[in-house]
Amino acid sequence: MARGAPPPSRTAKRLQAHLRGLAGKAIEDYGMIADGDRVMVCLSGGKDSYTLLDILMSLQRSAPIDFSLIAVNLDQKQPGFPENVLPDYLTGLGVVYHIIEQDTYSVVKRVIPEGKTMCGLCSRLRRGALYRFAAENGISKIALGHHRDDIVETFFLNLFFAGRLKAMAPKLLSDDRRHVVIRPLSYVGERDIARYARSRGFPLIPCTLCGSQENLQRVAVKQLLHQWERQFPGRTEQIFAALRNVAPEHLADPRLHDFAGIDARRIAPMSERDELELADDLHAGGIQRTASALVG
């Protein structure tokens, strides 16, 4: 809760318990946090990362294991960035934190043509800075604030625009195999996070300071999912459930299933004699069951 905000209402407490339950289940299902972990919570100033930090701090107080948290923000030197908001908020919470100062904004502005979206390059530079800090400070887990809707949106972005069945993993190993990234809010819907952020009065920092055009493909997918959700409530949750219930043998990727070896695994067809004997056995069994039913 932001400094000076009123105590949480009963509704806010119920919502927090709901989010705690979902985050706790995701952490357990995917083995996200272990005893002794040093967890770096990446804090952007948006509703998702504020909620992530808040829920992890709440879980930490009652967890049966011991783990530490450090909130980390990357100040990318965007014009107009309110640099005191996060330090003031985190100091008020009493949480350990660190602000990385790196002028990635100037790099992105120099490389990306005017009017083009800067989000892709900005994200890569931000990830590099955070990974470097994690490596230098003994971080064992990097926690990101992506939620269930982010995961489903990413699935459709890859499906529609990249020709891949790929989403965001709740837990993954970085490409260089040096970092474990976790997404404890993987089971939480964006609507619940927005409600929780409002109830907690987080001092939100907009992600529009750079003036970059938002990723139009992601906007289109988000609108599509919102439309589906209005027509068929629960659709997004069902799509996410499907991502947890994959049958590779019913897709078409030969890297995931040995289609070429199917012939060798086939059981030899029955001979005519075997078919007749089976038919006789089934017929005799049917007569016996009928007789037993009549006697009973």
Side-chain angles (χ1 to χ4, degrees), residues 62-83:
S62 58
I65 58 174
D66 180 43
F67 64 93
S68 61
L69 299 172
I70 176 172
V72 176
N73 168 257
L74 173 61
D75 180 354
Q76 299 175 270
K77 300 304 176 183
Q78 299 157 315
F81 182 79
E83 59 184 25

Side-chain angles (χ1 to χ4, degrees), residues 33-107:
I33 299 177
D35 191 57
D37 267 340
R38 181 167 165 81
V39 181
M40 181 175 88
V41 184
C42 299
L43 197 64
S44 66
K47 67 183 189 313
D48 304 334
S49 60
Y50 274 124
T51 298
L52 173 64
L53 176 62
D54 208 58
I55 295 300
L56 285 180
M57 290 179 65
S58 178
L59 289 171
Q60 184 188 39
R61 288 190 286 269
S62 58
I65 58 174
D66 180 43
F67 64 93
S68 61
L69 299 172
I70 176 172
V72 176
N73 168 257
L74 173 61
D75 180 354
Q76 299 175 270
K77 300 304 176 183
Q78 299 157 315
F81 182 79
E83 59 184 25
N84 293 326
V85 168
L86 287 173
D88 289 350
Y89 175 77
L90 295 170
T91 299
L93 280 183
V95 65
V96 178
Y97 73 91
H98 182 81
I99 307 296
I100 304 171
E101 297 190 23
Q102 183 173 325
D103 188 1
T104 60
Y105 174 79
S106 296
V107 176

